[in-house]
Amino acid sequence: MEERPDRPTWSKQIEFTLAGIGCAVGLGNIWRFPYLCYRSGGGAFLVPYLLMLVVLGIPLLYMELTVGQYTRRGPVHALAIVCPLFKGVGMASVAISFIMCTYYNLVITWALYYLFSSFQAPLPWQHCNNTWNTANCTNHATNSSYSSTASQEFFKYRMLEQTSGVDEPGTIRWELCLLLILAWILIYLCIFKGVKSTGKVVYFTALFPYVILIALLINNAQLPGALDGIKFFIVPQWERLLSLEVWVNAAAQIFNSIGIGFGSLMAMSSYNSFHNNVLKDTLTISIVNSLTSILAGFVIFSAFGYMSYLQGIAVPDLAVDGPGLVYVVYPQAFANMPVAQLWAVLFFFMLLCLGLDSEFAMVEVLVTSLLDEFQQKMIQIFRWKELLVLAVCVAAFVLGIPCVMQVGIYVFQLMDHYTAIVSIMSLAFFEVIAICWIYGVKRLSSNLEEMTGMRPNIFFRACWLVIAPVLITVILVFSIIQFKPARYEGYVFPPWAQGVGWVIAMASIIWIPLAAFHTLWILPGSFVQKLKLSVTPYALNEKSNMPYYESIEFKPARYEGYV
């Protein structure tokens, strides 16, 4: 088979591997993994986490990279090729990536704010003698609910200037708005030339965070109390393994961390050469991703041990939650370290690199999908791809403006709660059904053999056919049963805000039934014939859309004798 000459490829294969690592390794490794570990009893979480990596993370990443590389298309066209009935899964993954990139860039904005603030001496969250501090501020945290630390008040009252609830929008935080513009400029510069510019950026953004993580670990390990935090991280509380929630959290973390269902890695693998070794990239990306989480765990828990020593509080009793882990607890630890400014600058620069990798991967999904579907129209409208990328970045910036208002933290929490939990699990379920069961393990194995000369072993085939679909179904059902309304700290969102959250969730999920209806509408024949054609690969394709078949006689889709 011949590759399409108009499809760009990575200059070097290592660039895709680094881009994949950068996409998978993100802020979730730094805060969500340690937080879930902390909440699940430390070392007890590592057992199901590593098991889920083997039976869920690696096989599903292998599946996505195979489909992307074989079809040489982004998620929309790739899913339309393998299973026309579920082409909406690809559309939904593009929608969810775009929704996420509008608010995820806020995390990069915060990292920039803290980075620039870290050049001050002393650090602005190091003491309570600032204009924004309250009478309850204390330099040394306690487990009292009546006091707040200097780092908590810097985050809440200085950077966010947050209101009391989502009902009070407040005004735009112009400092954050300007930093959001800077963040989007950085994203644009990373991807405006496509894989050619992205491939060069990832050499730095994917590798530099490891230098800082190792430096932080060496520094933290020498602090008093660090060993207590590390012991909590690696010594399991075996009774916690009896909790189903721990196992579901482990599977969900593997899922969200690697990025299954987001379409980012499928889009980037579509720029691979046709005969690239997919398994090597799969193992490298997934294993490096998990090792990064574990390395970050050592860094974070050694800081927990230090905070425990300073405050006289046991490690399990520290107040730890989501974004606060990175923007409250860790800055508080820096304030008591030697050369505090240096470590703060390095840490927040590392967060910036991690955030950029994940963010431009999500933007790339949308750009790739638009060019796959409307290349001629896009070129007519924008003339150059660079202008299309600019238009996408500007649109995402405008939609992200509510996040840099004083109500921004509530908007962020609402969008993240309904997008990351509800939407992505539904997407993953339908993607696995479409590829593993309808397209089929036999076809997927044949595709791999055609590209690499080797069929997948029985372990991967068993995971695709049985283990992964069952696990994802369990996670989805458990997520629905255990679903709780969005909240931020002690604030529960009002019913109207919960309704907005469901609208945000449905903005991606709705494409699955809509696209299925469209497929059945346009296919020829009776309803039964339409249904059978809808689960036939390439049934929707015309010759111009086929990935490699320019030199092969094209035969229209047919069912029995009906053309």
Side-chain angles (χ1 to χ4, degrees):
M1 289 186 177
E2 298 179 2
E3 299 179 17
R4 288 179 62 96
D6 60 335
R7 188 73 170 183
T9 57
W10 299 94
S11 300
K12 297 178 182 177
Q13 198 54 44
I14 186 64
E15 294 179 357
F16 165 71
T17 306
L18 289 174
I21 291 171
C23 174
V25 175
L27 296 173
N29 300 75
I30 304 298
W31 86 41
R32 187 171 277 128
F33 173 82
Y35 172 61
L36 288 175
C37 236
Y38 182 85
R39 199 176 69 181
S40 303
F45 185 75
L46 295 178
V47 177
Y49 175 80
L50 294 174
L51 181 63
M52 292 301 173
L53 169 67
V54 174
V55 300
L56 189 65
I58 293 175
L60 291 184
L61 180 59
Y62 196 20
M63 174 195 78
E64 281 202 351
L65 295 187
T66 299
V67 171
Q69 183 170 306
Y70 186 79
T71 60
R72 287 183 69 75
R73 288 291 181 269
V76 175
H77 270 236
L79 267 297
I81 287 171
V82 302
C83 180
L85 183 65
F86 285 128
K87 67 181 181 182
V89 174
M91 300 166 72
S93 68
V94 173
I96 197 172
S97 290
F98 183 67
I99 291 169
M100 287 191 71
C101 78
T102 61
Y103 75 84
Y104 187 85
N105 220 6
L106 182 64
V107 182
I108 301 176
T109 303
W110 293 345
L112 286 169
Y113 191 93
Y114 270 82
L115 177 63
F116 293 139
S117 299
S118 298
F119 287 98
Q120 302 177 38
L123 293 171
W125 56 83
Q126 204 162 0
H127 56 79
C128 291
N129 301 324
N130 302 291
T131 55
W132 59 82
N133 291 130
T134 67
N136 294 326
C137 181
T138 174
N139 291 331
H140 296 286
T142 67
N143 53 4
S144 170
S145 60
Y146 299 103
S147 62
S148 54
T149 64
S151 62
Q152 285 175 322
E153 296 204 349
F154 178 84
F155 180 73
K156 184 175 181 178
Y157 301 125
R158 176 67 184 100
M159 185 181 73
L160 298 180
E161 293 184 5
Q162 72 180 64
T163 57
S164 59
V166 72
D167 298 300
E168 300 178 44
T171 58
I172 291 179
R173 289 279 292 112
W174 289 107
E175 290 173 289
L176 292 181
C177 188
L178 292 174
L179 289 174
L180 182 63
I181 293 173
L182 175 59
W184 276 113
I185 290 173
L186 291 174
I187 296 297
Y188 177 77
L189 294 176
C190 287
I191 65 170
F192 77 108
K193 287 290 186 182
V195 293
K196 301 302 180 185
S197 60
T198 305
K200 302 301 180 288
V201 171
V202 293
Y203 280 108
F204 181 80
T205 56
L207 297 175
F208 184 68
Y210 294 100
V211 177
I212 301 179
L213 277 174
I214 293 170
L216 284 168
L217 179 59
I218 293 171
N219 176 74
N220 291 3
Q222 303 174 54
L223 298 171
L227 189 59
D228 293 332
I230 292 174
K231 282 182 180 178
F232 182 81
F233 176 53
I234 62 176
V235 177
Q237 299 175 21
W238 296 109
E239 66 275 8
R240 300 299 293 270
L241 292 178
L242 299 176
S243 169
L244 179 62
E245 185 178 4
V246 172
W247 290 84
V248 171
N249 284 340
Q253 172 59 18
I254 283 289
F255 209 85
N256 286 288
S257 179
I258 294 177
I260 306 297
F262 288 95
S264 305
L265 287 166
M266 189 183 292
M268 290 197 292
S269 68
S270 71
Y271 297 107
N272 280 337
S273 60
F274 184 67
H275 298 292
N276 173 57
N277 187 336
V278 188
L279 181 59
K280 180 186 71 175
D281 287 327
T282 301
L283 293 175
T284 302
I285 292 169
S286 54
I287 292 174
V288 168
N289 174 66
S290 292
L291 288 177
T292 305
S293 293
I294 294 171
L295 174 61
F298 278 102
V299 173
I300 298 296
F301 277 89
S302 59
F304 283 175
Y306 179 52
M307 294 305 299
S308 170
Y309 169 81
L310 289 177
Q311 300 171 19
I313 302 172
V315 173
D317 297 329
L318 291 171
V320 177
D321 195 9
L325 177 65
V326 174
Y327 293 105
V328 175
V329 177
Y330 216 77
Q332 188 179 333
F334 286 136
N336 296 283
M337 289 182 187
V339 202
Q341 286 77 15
L342 173 63
W343 294 115
V345 168
L346 290 176
F347 181 76
F348 291 113
F349 187 70
M350 176 191 70
L351 291 186
L352 176 62
C353 291
L354 291 173
L356 285 175
D357 278 340
S358 301
E359 180 74 14
F360 68 59
M362 288 186 282
V363 178
E364 187 63 51
V365 171
L366 181 60
V367 173
T368 297
S369 301
L370 286 174
L371 288 176
D372 282 349
E373 183 70 30
F374 308 110
Q375 183 161 0
Q376 296 301 322
K377 291 182 180 178
M378 291 293 111
I379 295 301
Q380 287 176 3
I381 296 171
F382 295 101
R383 315 204 107 205
W384 296 285
K385 180 186 175 182
E386 291 83 351
L387 291 179
L388 170 62
V389 176
L390 180 62
V392 170
C393 291
V394 170
F397 162 72
V398 172
L399 292 173
I401 288 177
C403 292
V404 292
M405 297 179 67
Q406 290 175 301
V407 75
I409 186 66
Y410 300 105
V411 176
F412 173 87
Q413 193 73 10
L414 186 69
M415 295 182 73
D416 188 59
H417 184 80
Y418 284 92
T419 304
I421 296 177
V422 179
S423 302
I424 194 61
M425 287 302 159
S426 304
L427 259 168
F429 174 78
F430 287 108
E431 180 182 280
V432 169
I433 296 301
I435 297 175
C436 294
W437 283 2
I438 298 179
Y439 185 66
V441 172
K442 286 185 179 180
R443 287 194 183 105
L444 199 60
S445 301
S446 298
N447 297 158
L448 267 168
E449 186 176 22
E450 187 177 346
M451 292 189 295
T452 64
M454 296 184 299
R455 294 179 70 84
N457 59 37
I458 191 170
F459 168 75
F460 285 112
R461 297 201 301 273
C463 286
W464 290 336
L465 192 60
V466 180
I467 299 173
V470 169
L471 280 176
I472 290 177
T473 303
V474 170
I475 294 170
L476 179 61
V477 171
F478 187 83
S479 299
I480 294 172
I481 294 173
Q482 295 292 320
F483 184 79
K484 298 175 183 177
R487 65 173 64 232
Y488 177 65
E489 295 178 340
Y491 177 80
V492 179
F493 286 79
W496 70 266
Q498 305 285 352
V500 172
W502 281 109
V503 170
I504 294 170
M506 292 306 298
S508 57
I509 299 173
I510 194 65
W511 292 104
I512 299 174
L514 286 179
F517 177 79
H518 180 260
T519 296
L520 294 173
W521 179 267
I522 64 174
L523 285 173
S526 66
F527 178 75
V528 174
Q529 290 172 330
K530 287 172 181 284
L531 199 59
K532 290 187 176 182
L533 279 174
S534 72
V535 294
T536 303
Y538 297 103
L540 292 177
N541 278 61
E542 297 176 355
K543 183 176 180 180
S544 60
N545 288 333
M546 298 290 279
Y548 306 109
Y549 296 92
E550 285 84 352
S551 59
I552 301 175
E553 181 184 359
F554 175 73
K555 297 180 180 179
R558 64 174 66 235
Y559 172 67
E560 295 178 347
Y562 181 83
V563 180

